Amino acid sequence: GNSVTQMEGPVTLSEEAFLTINCTYTATGYPSLFWYVQYPGEGLQLLLKATKADDKGSNKGFEATYRKETTSFHLEKGSVQVSDSAVYFCALSDGAGSYQLTFGKGTKLSVIP
Amino acid sequence: NAGVTQTPKFQVLKTGQSMTLQCAQDMNHNSMYWYRQDPGMGLRLIYYSASEGTTDKGEVPNGYNVSRLNKREFSLRLESAAPSQTSVYFCASWRAGQATDTQYFGPGTRLTVL
């Protein structure tokens, strides 16, 4: 079956530090890959996505590249802000028509001034 | 558009009580989903409805029932609540037929079972 593995948290960074959250996946076929963000007390919001190999998703300074050869979709940001403090989820859909998402367990990021 | 809405936002139940969590979407999406979120567990799918009139079990369906009332509304019922059902519940929807699209989430219902 499909699975998503994210780096364990929590992650604590100082403002303006570089962020990487690792995500690897196992899936059949050609999945689409997503990063969701959950701010405290809120639901999940789509942060970025990539639908085929070598695609780069980007939004709000965050980037992730779909690497089929390493089955990875690592999230990066060059300079984090306090407002980026949230839980980040990596997810995939296998595109097989079931329209279901498989989620990683989430990584909590705290950014301190 | 309001997107995906959920009611109530918070609820406290006693063991054995029943309740229904309501979810509605105004995006004309075909598919709807119920998840629960527990610390360290990520999101786990309880039930989903691929289209109006159909429902299917997800990863953790025991203790829950669902009703797809119409295209807009998808409710989750706890018939006899247990402390293990203390969780945050999220509803989501997806426009079927667009494999590169994704799910849109409601704000969640925080349920405590004493």
Side-chain angles (χ1 to χ4, degrees):
Chain A
N2 299 333
S3 67
V4 175
T5 303
Q6 285 180 241
M7 64 185 288
E8 297 280 334
V11 174
T12 302
L13 295 174
S14 297
E15 207 165 20
E16 300 184 0
F18 185 87
L19 169 71
T20 299
I21 301 178
N22 290 337
C23 171
T24 57
Y25 68 89
T26 302
T28 56
Y30 303 96
S32 294
L33 301 173
F34 308 89
W35 277 101
Y36 280 83
V37 59
Q38 183 180 31
Y39 298 105
E42 299 184 8
L44 278 71
Q45 304 173 26
L46 179 65
L47 179 61
L48 54 84
K49 67 179 182 181
T51 58
K52 61 183 187 295
D54 300 324
D55 267 2
K56 177 184 285 188
S58 61
N59 186 24
K60 299 181 180 180
F62 290 89
E63 294 183 339
T65 301
Y66 188 148
R67 301 288 188 196
K68 189 169 178 63
E69 65 276 13
T70 55
T71 62
S72 65
F73 192 55
H74 305 322
L75 183 68
E76 296 182 336
K77 186 175 185 181
S79 176
V80 294
Q81 306 300 311
V82 172
S83 57
D84 294 326
S85 297
V87 181
Y88 293 82
F89 292 92
C90 186
L92 70 83
S93 77
D94 61 14
S98 65
Y99 305 109
Q100 292 188 39
L101 289 174
T102 301
F103 286 92
K105 293 186 177 181
T107 302
K108 183 176 182 180
L109 170 66
S110 297
V111 181
I112 55 177
Chain B
N1 287 351
V4 180
T5 57
Q6 293 183 237
T7 55
K9 291 189 176 181
F10 301 93
Q11 184 72 48
V12 179
L13 294 178
K14 295 180 179 178
T15 297
Q17 287 185 317
S18 62
M19 78 161 296
T20 300
L21 282 64
Q22 306 287 353
C23 173
Q25 53 91 9
D26 63 0
M27 297 175 283
N28 201 36
H29 286 176
N30 291 320
S31 301
M32 298 185 72
Y33 308 81
W34 276 106
Y35 294 91
R36 60 179 289 172
Q37 183 181 28
D38 302 293
M41 300 294 291
L43 276 80
R44 293 183 291 171
L45 183 65
I46 304 171
Y47 270 94
Y48 68 100
S49 170
S51 61
E52 187 179 355
T54 68
T55 60
D56 285 287
K57 295 178 180 179
E59 181 184 355
V60 288
N62 290 345
Y64 305 95
N65 285 299
V66 291
S67 295
R68 183 74 183 267
L69 304 171
N70 48 54
K71 191 171 186 178
R72 290 186 64 249
E73 298 172 288
F74 188 39
S75 63
L76 179 71
R77 182 160 178 84
L78 287 70
E79 290 291 353
S80 179
S84 60
Q85 294 178 304
T86 293
S87 188
V88 182
Y89 292 86
F90 290 100
C91 178
S93 69
W94 194 337
R95 182 181 53 174
Q98 295 288 334
T100 57
D101 205 341
T102 191
Q103 294 183 13
Y104 297 85
F105 285 79
T109 294
R110 285 150 182 80
L111 174 67
T112 301
V113 182
L114 302 175

